[in-house]
Amino acid sequence: MARVWIVDDEPLIRAAVVAVLAEVGHEATPLESAEQLYVRLVDGVAPPDLLILDQMLPDESGDQIVRSLRERPQYRDIRVLFLTALSEDDAGRLTDLAPVLSKPFDFRDLVEMVAELTAEPDAPEGAPV
């Protein structure tokens, strides 16, 4: 399954997301701030297959984080899912950067979106299987 990092400053949401994703087989890593995310990235740990990112973090907004990652070739291809309590209009503005799942959310929707975002692309025709 996939390596998923969850960056959310709300401990209960972070713990619940980690527990649900671990239950379905993902390697889920909780982080509580942009600072923790950046430290983990530069520590040489393999980057995640998916970054689940709260938009309203105390030290940096999620969209700023995504823009910062997109400027760096080694992080440009990290897939992102915003998990946010923003209004529908504000959340809609984030969709140019990454898919958005609005809080409160159904965990089945979360699991489905994670599966879609971490699915391996289909092999090209004629490629060995």
Side-chain angles (χ1 to χ4, degrees):
M1 288 308 234
R3 282 183 321 277
V4 183
W5 294 359
I6 299 90
V7 185
D8 198 306
D9 60 319
E10 295 181 42
L12 293 176
I13 289 176
R14 192 174 56 243
V17 170
V18 167
V20 167
L21 293 181
E23 181 69 26
V24 297
H26 295 293
E27 180 187 315
T29 302
L31 303 165
E32 64 185 52
S33 66
E35 180 182 7
Q36 282 187 352
L37 168 65
Y38 293 135
V39 166
R40 188 161 178 87
L41 283 170
V42 299
D43 272 352
V45 176
D49 298 308
L50 176 65
L51 178 61
I52 297 178
L53 189 56
D54 185 10
Q55 169 61 10
M56 298 185 294
L57 294 167
D59 55 346
E60 189 172 357
S61 66
D63 63 314
Q64 289 173 321
I65 293 169
V66 171
R67 286 183 179 93
S68 177
L69 293 176
R70 299 293 181 256
E71 291 175 358
R72 292 161 177 78
Q74 68 271 38
Y75 307 129
R76 184 174 293 144
D77 295 329
I78 295 174
R79 290 168 276 189
V80 175
L81 170 63
F82 284 110
L83 193 61
T84 185
L86 291 176
S87 71
E88 202 171 303
D89 287 343
D90 290 335
R93 291 187 195 108
L94 295 175
T95 59
D96 288 343
L97 295 172
V100 176
L101 183 59
S102 295
K103 296 175 186 177
F105 57 90
D106 185 311
F107 280 99
R108 291 173 292 207
D109 293 337
L110 173 69
V111 169
E112 184 178 304
M113 289 185 83
V114 169
E116 289 173 12
L117 291 167
T118 59
E120 292 299 321
D122 293 332
E125 247 181 76
V129 180

